[in-house]
């Protein structure tokens, strides 16, 4: 029997909820709805979901806070919805642990594509074989999803970890931004290549003295290399 995908949709605009609900009903997904942040947290505590679609500007409790609270106990995929597309907002959302970020207005078809991509990544992650390896002084444990520099753990978001893991396990191979969107985010048709740049910037900041391991190949993309 095929598994039913359950989505928690947190959005205060009734028309927007309806459009999203219809789009996912066509895909045979079950959609549960919350109109504000407080209601969303209560529903999340009592039911199991596969993914959360979360608006930022919400009554009662804003989306930033909802995302932060959920991340304290869960690594469920989260897509943030917002009418604001400034880089600071995206960086803040990713720093809180969001997996993706989509700016209004958007097509329901695009949202469905991003949800499917995130679910594929989550399923793949669950099938990972436990292992720990060290490359260029960066220690990565794929079971605990922990990254250490010289024995000290660094705090990466889900997507930062997955991007670093992908690059480090494909050492010295140059990837374009579009290829990284496909390999790490799971989509290429709707992805914004600047998302990759934003994540690379944050990873480098957190790697500190090891940031040179991620090299920029101008006009092409990025690669992971261990400096000689």
């Amino acid at each position: 029997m095929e598994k039913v995908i359950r989505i928690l949709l947190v959005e205060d605009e009734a028309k927007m909820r309806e459009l999203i609900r219809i789009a996912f009903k066509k895909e045979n997904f079950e959609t549960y709805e919350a109109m504000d942040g407080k209601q969303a947290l209560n529903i999340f505590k009592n039911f199991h979901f596969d993914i959360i679609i979360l608006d930022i500007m919400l009554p009662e409790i804003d989306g930033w806070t909802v995302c932060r609270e959920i991340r304290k106990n869960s690594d469920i995929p989260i897509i943030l919805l917002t009418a604001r597309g400034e880089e600071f907002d995206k960086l803040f959302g990713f720093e809180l642990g969001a997996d993706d970020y989509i700016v209004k207005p958007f097509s329901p078809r695009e949202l469905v594509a991003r949800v499917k991509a995130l679910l594929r990544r989550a399923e793949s992650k669950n099938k990972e074989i436990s292992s720990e390896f060290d490359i260029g002084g960066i220690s990565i444990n794929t079971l605990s999803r922990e990254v250490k520099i010289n024995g000290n753990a660094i705090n990466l978001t889900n997507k930062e970890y997955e991007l670093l893991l992908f690059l480090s396990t494909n050492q010295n191979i140059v990837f374009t931004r579009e290829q990284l969107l496909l390999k790490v985010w799971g989509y290429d048709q709707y992805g914004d290549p600047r998302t990759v740049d934003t994540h690379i910037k944050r990873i480098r900041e957190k790697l500190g003295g090891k940031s040179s391991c991620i090299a920029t190949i101008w006009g092409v993309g990025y690669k992971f290399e261990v400096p000689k």
Side-chain angles (χ1 to χ4, degrees):
M1 185 175 180
E2 186 177 352
K3 177 186 176 182
V4 176
I5 302 299
R6 304 175 79 183
I7 296 172
L8 175 57
L9 170 61
V10 191
E11 167 62 65
D12 61 325
E13 296 181 28
K15 185 63 176 178
M16 180 66 71
R17 290 201 308 274
E18 181 183 9
L19 290 173
I20 294 174
R21 182 196 322 123
I22 291 172
F24 283 103
K25 186 176 182 180
K26 292 178 180 177
E27 302 293 329
N28 296 317
F29 287 12
E30 267 186 24
T31 304
Y32 292 71
E33 301 174 26
M35 295 177 287
D36 58 61
K38 184 177 181 180
Q39 184 182 33
L41 289 174
N42 287 333
I43 293 174
F44 181 75
K45 291 176 182 177
N46 293 293
F47 297 92
H48 169 77
F49 296 98
D50 298 288
I51 192 164
I52 298 175
I53 300 172
L54 174 64
D55 189 27
I56 291 176
M57 305 302 291
L58 293 169
E60 299 290 341
I61 302 175
D62 63 64
W64 301 126
T65 304
V66 173
C67 183
R68 185 185 294 113
E69 288 300 309
I70 289 173
R71 276 291 172 260
K72 288 180 179 179
N73 302 299
S74 173
D75 63 353
I76 183 174
I78 297 175
I79 295 180
L80 293 180
L81 304 180
T82 180
R84 303 169 61 180
E86 289 85 352
E87 183 180 25
F88 172 80
D89 290 323
K90 292 184 179 182
L91 287 172
F92 189 55
F94 290 135
E95 193 66 26
L96 289 177
D99 297 279
D100 204 355
Y101 192 110
I102 187 167
V103 179
K104 299 176 182 178
F106 57 86
S107 74
R109 182 166 166 257
E110 176 184 358
L111 181 58
V112 169
R114 294 203 181 196
V115 164
K116 287 183 175 180
L118 272 180
L119 291 172
R120 285 195 299 270
R121 291 296 304 166
E123 182 179 4
S124 176
K125 177 184 71 177
N126 291 335
K127 293 179 180 178
E128 283 183 356
I129 298 175
S130 172
S131 64
E132 184 172 2
F133 62 94
D134 186 286
I135 183 167
I138 302 172
S139 175
I140 301 177
N141 187 310
T142 59
L143 178 61
S144 64
R145 296 172 68 84
E146 187 175 52
V147 178
K148 294 181 179 180
I149 305 294
N150 298 323
N152 299 312
I154 62 173
N155 184 27
L156 297 178
T157 66
N158 286 337
K159 273 294 173 284
E160 288 168 358
Y161 166 80
E162 289 171 9
L163 180 55
L164 177 61
L165 179 65
F166 178 78
L167 287 171
S168 63
T169 52
N170 291 278
Q171 188 179 170
N172 297 320
I173 299 176
V174 179
F175 293 95
T176 66
R177 292 165 178 80
E178 291 74 16
Q179 287 174 322
L180 291 172
L181 280 172
L182 179 61
K183 298 293 186 180
V184 178
W185 279 262
Y187 54 79
D188 56 355
Q189 185 176 357
Y190 301 107
D192 183 349
R194 290 176 297 180
T195 297
V196 176
D197 297 331
T198 297
H199 281 71
I200 291 291
K201 177 182 177 182
R202 298 298 295 170
I203 292 171
R204 283 172 169 163
E205 290 174 353
K206 295 177 181 181
L207 289 178
K210 300 297 182 180
S211 62
S212 59
C213 285
I214 301 179
T216 299
I217 310 302
W218 297 108
V220 184
Y222 301 98
K223 73 172 179 177
F224 188 98
E225 62 181 9
V226 178
K228 295 180 180 179

